[in-house]
Amino acid sequence: MGYGTFSVDSYQQARRDYGVTQSTNVTRQAEERARQTGHLSEIVDPAVSPIRRSKIRLNPRRKKWIATLGCPMDIEVSCDTTGSMGGEVDTEMNVLPELYDAVAKVLPGYDPQLCLGIFGDCGDDFVMCRPQFEMEAPKIVNYLKEMAPQRGGNGNHGEDPQYAMFARAYLTDAYTNRIGLKGYHFIVTDEPYHNHLRREEIRRIFGSEIFENELKDMRSELPSVDDMVSELKRKTHQFVLVMSDYYYNDTIDLWSCLCGEKSVIIIDSTSQLPAVISAIIGLTEGTIEVVELEEHLGLFGNDRLIRQLSSIDIGAQAKLRHALPHPVPKAGDIFANKGDIWPIRPGEASDDDKSVEPPDRIEYL
Amino acid sequence: MLEKIYVVTDLGPGDGGKGSIVHTLSCNLDASVIIKRGGAQGSHGVRTSYGENFNFSQWGCGTLEGVPTFLSEQMVISPVGLSNESEALKRLGIYDPFVLLSCDPACISATPFHRISSQLEELLLGDNPRGTIGTGVGQAYRMSKTLGEAATIRAFELKNREIVRTKLQKQLDYYRERYAKISRKDGLPNDAELIDENLSLLYDDGFLPYCLDLFEDIGKKLRLESLDEVLKGDGLGIVECSHGVLTDAETGLKPHVSAIRTLPKFTTEMLRTAGYDGEIVNYAVHRAYEIRHGAGPMPTYDPEFTSRMLPGSHKDENRWQGIVRAGALDLNLMRYALDTSGDVTFDGLCLTWFDQVLACNRIWSLCINYKNAPATGESYVDFLKRAEPNIIEYFIEKPILKRELFEFIGDTLDKFLNIPLKLLSIGPTELDKVSSNKE
C-alpha cells in the first residue's frame, strides 16, 4: 500500500506498542477509565470534536498541492455494543487488517479511510464513540482500544444508532461529498432503533455548544429521523447489517421501513464484516460483479447472503462517477489551492499562474 | 533575497486577530514564507473561504495556502505542540505538515517540565494571578537565562537522545528541588487537584522516557535551516509574531507580561542582523474593540459590553488565562503601544472583528481619552486600574458600502491615532477583508 497507508506489520506493531496483545477485552482499560472519570477518551468522544473529516491527502509542491494518494473513500462502521454485542470492538480489532485489505482491493486507486465507531443506548452513560477517519494502522488500533462500550442497552426494545447516523449526516466533512460521490455508512446491530432525535441527547453526545456552533441551522427545529436518513442517503451508500440471531422479530421490518429493503442485510456474525462490507462496496463501485460474489465471500457465501447482496443498488457509485464533471482525482494530481475541489487539468495552468482578482462588487453592509 | 517583508504585530495584549490577517496577506500577496517569532503557545485562528478552520500555534497562518513556515531563533518551540499540531493538520488533509516547516537550529525548546513549572507558578499566586497560557514557553526562556546551555535544549539537539536526556534530567532535578516543599495546600482550595496533578507528573519516572521518545521523533522530522538561507528566497515574506506589544517583557503592562520581547524593533533587528537589506513593512493588528483574556489592566472593561459582543464568553474562563473581558476600543492603550514600539513606525493598521460590531448593534465605541490623570509618581499600570474612560459612540448607518465603511473608520483612526488603516476585517475569511489597495 505504500508509505502511510495500512499495513499488517504496522498493525501488529501498534498492538504491541499499545499493549493490546489479547484478542479479547481490548477496551478493558478504557472502560475502567471512563467509569472512574465519567469521560470518554477525547480521541473518540464526539463532544470534544464533533466534526469528523475525510480529506484528500496533499503535500505542498511549488506553492501548489500534490495528491499523495488517490481520492479518499470514507467508510464508517458503527457497531452496536449493547447486551450480547458488547464484545464487538474485540471483533473489529481482530478483523481490522482483513477489513482494510478487503476494502482496498475493491477500491483500486482510492485511499480508503475508516471510521470504526460504536453506539449504545441513551440510557447508558456514553451513547457513542466516534473516532476520526483514518488509514494508518496505529491510529485505528489506538482509537479502538480507547472505546468504552457500556454493554448495557437499557432493556427498552431498541438502541440509539440514530445518533451515529445523525453524525454522518450532519457532522462529517467528507471529500467524496464535495466532489459529488458518496461515502459508505454501515450500522451493525441486532436491535431496532428509536424513532426520535432529542435535542438534549444531541447536546449530551456532541457537546453543549453544538447548536451554537456546528448545527446553527437546527437551533429552532430538529430533522425527523426519516429526514435525517434521507440526508444520510444523499451523502452515503447506507446499509444496516443486522445480526441473524436478533432478539426482536420486528428488527428487520423496522429497519427496512426506515432505510429501504435494499439497505438491510442479515449477517450471521461480525467476523463476516470484512467480506460483507467489501462485497457491498465492490458491487456499488462496480469493481466486482454478482457472479464473483460466491468467490468473494468465500466461507461466508451462503445463498441468503448472496441473494441479499445481489439486490442492492449495484453500480450506484459508478453511475455517480460517470456523471462527475471531472475524473475522480488520483495520486499525483496537482491542486492549485488546498481548498480546491478538483485538481488542475494537464496544461490548464502554469506554475506562474496567479489567481484572478475578483471584480469589485458593490456590497452593502 | 526576499523582495519585501511584512511584519505583523499585535498592538494589544494578544487576541487581536493576527491569524486571519497573516492568512489574508498570504493569499493576497502570494507570500513565499512565514517567519515566526515569539512562543509556541499562541493560537492564531484561520478560517478560509473554502470552509476550513484551524488554530495555528507553530505552523504559520499561510499553511493552508501552501506557504512554508520558518521558526526563527526568536521562537521558543514546543516539540509536544509540534507533534499535536502536525496530527491535527494531517486530519485537515495535509499529508506531511513537516514538509512546510523549517526551524533555526538555535531555537529553544519548551518541555513538559517547563509547562509543569509554569502552571505551578501561576497556581501558587492564588487569587492574585499574573495570567499565563500555562504551556511553559516563558519558563523555558527564563531557564535559558538562569541555568544557561546546561539545561537548555536547542532544536538541533532534539534528535540526540543522550543530550536531551541529560538536559531534561537537569530540568527535572531543578524543578524537583524548587517545588520540594510545595503541597496542595499552597494554592487556592479549588486548585489543589491541579497542584497534585503537576507534582505527580514531576515525580513520575515514566514521564521522562516518554518525553525522550517524542523529542527524538520530532528532532528527526524537523528540518533545520538558518534565517539567512530563508532570506535568500524569492518573493515576499511575512513575519508572524506571537503575543502583543502590551505584553512585552520590558515595556508591557507589568506584571501582566510575557517573558519575551514582542516589540517590532526586535524583528527588524533580527532581519538586519541576518543580512536582510530589503524593504520591511510594519503592520499593527488590533480588534475593533478591546479584549483581554486573563489578568491585566483594562479600563474600558464592561461586563454588559462583553456579553453583548461575545455572547457565551463567560464560559470561556480557564484557570490559566482567566475570564475573557471586552470593552470599548481604547485609543489610549493603542497610543501607549505605538509609543513603546521603539524606533519602528507602523506603516498601517489592520482592524479586525468589525463584523461583530455590525452584528451586535452597529455601535462602534471608542475611548478617546481618560477623564482623570495619573498622580505624581504613580505607575501607568496602577493608574490604568482606576482610569475613567471617556467613551464616544459611532452608529454605523445601514446600509453602508464596504468602501464607505473603510473610509469612515480610516478617517476616524487617522484623526485620533495618526496611523493609516490598511485592512478592515468584516468577516472571518480572506474574502471578508477590505483593503486600502491591492494588498
Side-chain angles (χ1 to χ4, degrees):
Chain A
M1 288 298 145
Y3 173 69
T5 57
F6 196 98
S7 77
V8 175
D9 283 348
S10 61
Y11 163 77
Q12 286 170 343
Q13 183 63 43
R15 287 195 67 156
R16 282 193 292 274
D17 289 349
Y18 289 121
V20 190
T21 47
Q22 303 290 319
S23 58
T24 56
N25 234 348
V26 301
T27 55
R28 186 179 51 80
Q29 285 185 353
E31 287 176 60
E32 183 59 31
R33 209 181 314 123
R35 259 195 303 274
Q36 282 177 5
T37 63
H39 296 290
L40 290 170
S41 161
E42 62 180 36
I43 61 173
V44 297
D45 187 351
V48 173
S49 171
I51 303 284
R52 300 307 192 211
R53 296 185 168 85
S54 166
K55 297 268 185 177
I56 190 161
R57 313 265 167 162
L58 301 171
N59 252 7
R61 193 172 80 175
R62 288 190 224 114
K63 289 201 190 173
K64 291 191 169 52
W65 299 86
I66 182 168
T68 53
L69 293 162
C71 176
M73 181 55 69
D74 53 285
I75 302 161
E76 179 162 0
V77 183
S78 194
C79 206
D80 188 346
T81 50
T82 60
S84 59
M85 295 194 71
E88 294 312 321
V89 181
D90 296 337
T91 311
E92 282 189 344
M93 179 71 93
N94 293 324
V95 302
L96 182 55
E98 205 186 328
L99 175 63
Y100 187 87
D101 192 44
V103 296
K105 276 183 185 151
V106 294
L107 285 167
Y110 283 91
D111 171 18
Q113 299 183 353
L114 301 177
C115 170
L116 305 180
I118 58 172
F119 66 85
D121 190 285
C122 284
D124 298 331
D125 289 337
F126 309 113
V127 186
M128 60 183 279
C129 297
R130 190 184 188 216
Q132 281 289 356
F133 288 90
E134 285 293 353
M135 61 178 179
E136 293 175 9
K139 299 221 182 86
I140 304 176
V141 169
N142 192 24
Y143 288 145
L144 287 173
K145 86 166 176 43
E146 291 298 325
M147 305 266 167
Q150 296 264 274
R151 304 170 198 266
N154 222 24
N156 55 359
H157 184 34
E159 313 301 353
D160 289 295
Q162 66 274 19
Y163 294 105
M165 299 162 88
F166 180 88
R168 178 57 184 93
Y170 301 108
L171 294 166
T172 305
D173 176 7
Y175 182 79
T176 47
N177 297 149
R178 293 182 70 189
I179 63 171
L181 291 180
K182 294 182 183 181
Y184 290 87
H185 191 267
F186 298 92
I187 291 286
V188 184
T189 187
D190 64 351
E191 290 228 24
Y193 59 96
H194 291 133
N195 196 17
H196 52 69
L197 290 166
R198 295 209 164 107
R199 195 170 288 272
E200 65 273 23
E201 294 298 349
I202 291 174
R203 282 188 197 277
R204 178 159 78 103
I205 299 167
F206 300 107
S208 57
E209 305 282 314
I210 191 77
F211 293 108
E212 281 75 44
N213 300 323
E214 288 81 5
L215 298 176
K216 286 179 186 162
D217 295 346
M218 293 183 195
R219 276 178 182 171
S220 55
E221 198 179 356
L222 280 178
S224 65
V225 172
D226 285 337
D227 287 346
M228 181 265 288
V229 171
S230 298
E231 182 65 7
L232 180 62
K233 283 185 172 289
R234 194 175 71 76
K235 292 174 176 170
T236 67
H237 302 287
Q238 181 263 337
F239 295 88
V240 184
L241 309 181
V242 181
M243 299 285 284
S244 60
D245 57 351
Y246 52 91
Y247 188 76
Y248 297 106
N249 290 329
D250 58 354
T251 300
I252 299 289
D253 292 344
L254 285 168
W255 277 113
S256 298
C257 189
L258 180 69
C259 303
E261 281 182 23
K262 288 179 172 183
S263 293
V264 181
I265 309 287
I266 303 170
I267 59 172
D268 295 322
S269 137
T270 43
S271 59
Q272 292 179 329
L273 287 179
V276 173
I277 286 176
S278 61
I280 289 171
I281 294 174
L283 291 168
T284 311
E285 294 286 328
T287 52
I288 59 170
E289 294 180 21
V290 171
V291 292
E292 296 171 286
L293 267 180
E294 192 167 358
E295 187 187 342
H296 184 91
L297 294 169
L299 291 172
F300 305 118
N302 61 54
D303 286 352
R304 185 188 66 197
L305 190 54
I306 291 174
R307 197 170 57 248
Q308 289 181 102
L309 291 174
S310 303
S311 72
I312 70 168
D313 205 352
I314 290 169
Q317 184 88 306
K319 282 181 207 155
L320 291 175
R321 203 165 48 233
H322 293 146
L324 296 179
H326 297 265
V328 172
K330 58 186 188 312
D333 280 353
I334 305 285
F335 288 71
N337 299 295
K338 186 167 176 298
D340 288 354
I341 294 176
W342 296 106
I344 299 166
R345 286 183 170 184
E348 199 172 71
S350 73
D351 281 352
D352 299 327
D353 186 33
K354 297 274 173 70
S355 58
V356 180
E357 280 289 322
D360 197 12
R361 289 169 297 172
I362 294 178
E363 285 182 75
Y364 288 97
L365 291 165
Chain B
M1 177 77 68
L2 290 177
E3 187 183 316
K4 197 192 276 192
I5 296 177
Y6 289 79
V7 179
V8 177
T9 307
D10 194 311
L11 214 50
D15 282 322
K18 294 183 287 289
S20 177
I21 296 302
V22 170
H23 176 248
T24 300
L25 293 177
S26 300
C27 296
N28 294 3
L29 302 174
D30 198 16
S32 310
V33 64
I34 309 285
I35 300 170
K36 294 271 290 186
R37 62 175 293 259
Q41 77 278 52
S43 175
H44 294 177
V46 168
R47 185 180 295 182
T48 68
S49 58
Y50 46 89
E52 288 189 332
N53 289 303
F54 198 79
N55 286 329
F56 289 96
S57 287
Q58 299 184 76
W59 271 266
C61 289
T63 298
L64 297 178
E65 310 308 324
V67 183
T69 300
F70 171 70
L71 303 170
S72 74
E73 190 187 357
Q74 290 187 4
M75 179 84 181
V76 177
I77 63 170
S78 159
V80 177
L82 284 170
S83 176
N84 294 338
E85 195 170 350
S86 72
E87 286 303 317
L89 283 167
K90 274 187 180 185
R91 282 200 285 279
L92 266 193
I94 299 180
Y95 188 75
D96 184 3
F98 281 93
V99 172
L100 280 172
L101 192 74
S102 64
C103 178
D104 192 293
C107 272
I108 295 170
S109 295
T111 73
F113 300 127
H114 294 128
R115 179 176 58 77
I116 290 170
S117 169
S118 166
Q119 298 195 356
L120 284 174
E121 294 291 342
E122 187 70 11
L123 292 169
L124 295 175
L125 291 175
D127 52 9
N128 187 25
R130 182 182 66 90
T132 176
I133 312 265
T135 56
V137 165
Q139 291 297 331
Y141 183 76
R142 288 187 195 98
M143 183 177 262
S144 74
K145 299 287 173 203
T146 52
L147 297 189
E149 290 304 311
T152 303
I153 299 170
R154 304 269 175 185
F156 76 92
E157 296 170 323
L158 283 173
K159 59 184 168 189
N160 188 326
R161 207 175 166 86
E162 286 318 305
I163 291 180
V164 174
R165 185 199 306 275
T166 309
K167 295 190 172 187
L168 279 178
Q169 190 62 51
K170 191 105 184 160
Q171 294 177 4
L172 189 56
D173 294 343
Y174 175 79
Y175 285 133
R176 279 181 178 174
E177 193 184 331
R178 185 183 175 100
Y179 301 118
K181 291 177 185 165
I182 297 301
S183 78
R184 64 199 326 262
K185 292 176 189 160
D186 292 314
L188 296 172
N190 281 348
D191 292 337
E193 271 186 36
L194 276 171
I195 293 177
D196 276 349
E197 250 174 53
N198 279 295
L199 288 175
S200 69
L201 266 183
L202 209 53
Y203 289 93
D204 181 347
D205 288 334
F207 197 49
L208 194 144
Y210 160 80
C211 297
L212 272 179
D213 289 345
L214 194 144
F215 278 44
E216 188 178 15
D217 180 50
I218 295 299
K220 286 176 184 165
K221 289 175 178 164
L222 202 53
R223 187 164 51 89
L224 300 176
E225 194 176 15
S226 63
L227 177 59
D228 52 345
E229 282 300 314
V230 174
L231 295 172
K232 280 179 195 161
D234 297 328
L236 301 169
I238 300 171
V239 179
E240 181 181 341
C241 309
S242 71
H243 297 85
V245 170
L246 295 185
T247 57
D248 180 83
E250 295 299 327
T251 63
L253 302 177
K254 286 181 182 176
H256 311 285
V257 296
S258 68
I260 57 173
R261 304 307 308 269
T262 61
L263 305 181
K265 71 175 180 180
F266 295 104
T267 307
T268 308
E269 214 172 275
M270 175 181 80
L271 297 172
R272 296 298 185 215
T273 307
Y276 182 68
D277 58 5
E279 186 182 355
I280 298 174
V281 179
N282 274 289
Y283 279 176
V285 178
H286 203 287
R287 286 203 192 201
Y289 53 91
E290 217 57 44
I291 187 166
R292 181 140 199 166
H293 274 92
M298 188 176 166
T300 61
Y301 169 51
D302 177 353
E304 202 178 304
F305 182 101
T306 308
S307 58
R308 197 170 62 233
M309 192 64 82
L310 306 167
S313 60
H314 59 284
K315 296 177 193 161
D316 286 348
E317 181 172 14
N318 73 52
R319 178 60 187 86
W320 312 118
Q321 288 179 284
I323 201 162
V324 62
R325 295 172 293 158
L329 181 64
D330 192 336
L331 299 179
N332 307 278
L333 286 180
M334 288 178 82
R335 277 187 212 107
Y336 177 83
L338 290 170
D339 291 345
T340 55
S341 287
D343 307 329
V344 167
T345 306
F346 284 102
D347 299 276
L349 175 69
C350 306
L351 197 72
T352 60
W353 293 89
F354 207 87
D355 45 314
Q356 280 180 310
V357 174
L358 296 173
C360 189
N361 54 8
R362 300 179 80 88
I363 292 173
W364 186 35
S365 306
L366 300 179
C367 166
I368 50 171
N369 52 35
Y370 300 132
K371 293 173 187 165
N372 50 347
T376 314
E378 187 179 30
S379 78
Y380 189 57
V381 174
D382 284 341
F383 164 64
L384 287 176
K385 288 174 189 165
R386 60 175 193 87
E388 296 168 25
N390 184 14
I391 293 173
I392 57 172
E393 292 180 335
Y394 293 103
F395 180 71
I396 309 296
E397 297 292 338
K398 189 176 186 177
I400 186 168
L401 282 168
K402 282 181 181 177
R403 183 57 47 196
E404 288 171 351
L405 179 67
F406 184 89
E407 283 167 8
F408 163 71
I409 292 171
D411 289 348
T412 307
L413 289 173
D414 203 29
K415 184 167 75 181
F416 289 114
L417 288 177
N418 194 23
I419 181 170
L421 182 65
K422 284 288 177 183
L423 211 60
L424 175 68
S425 177
I426 49 170
T429 80
E430 76 280 7
L431 299 183
D432 305 315
K433 308 288 183 275
V434 190
S435 62
S436 61
N437 50 35
K438 290 299 171 193
E439 291 170 0

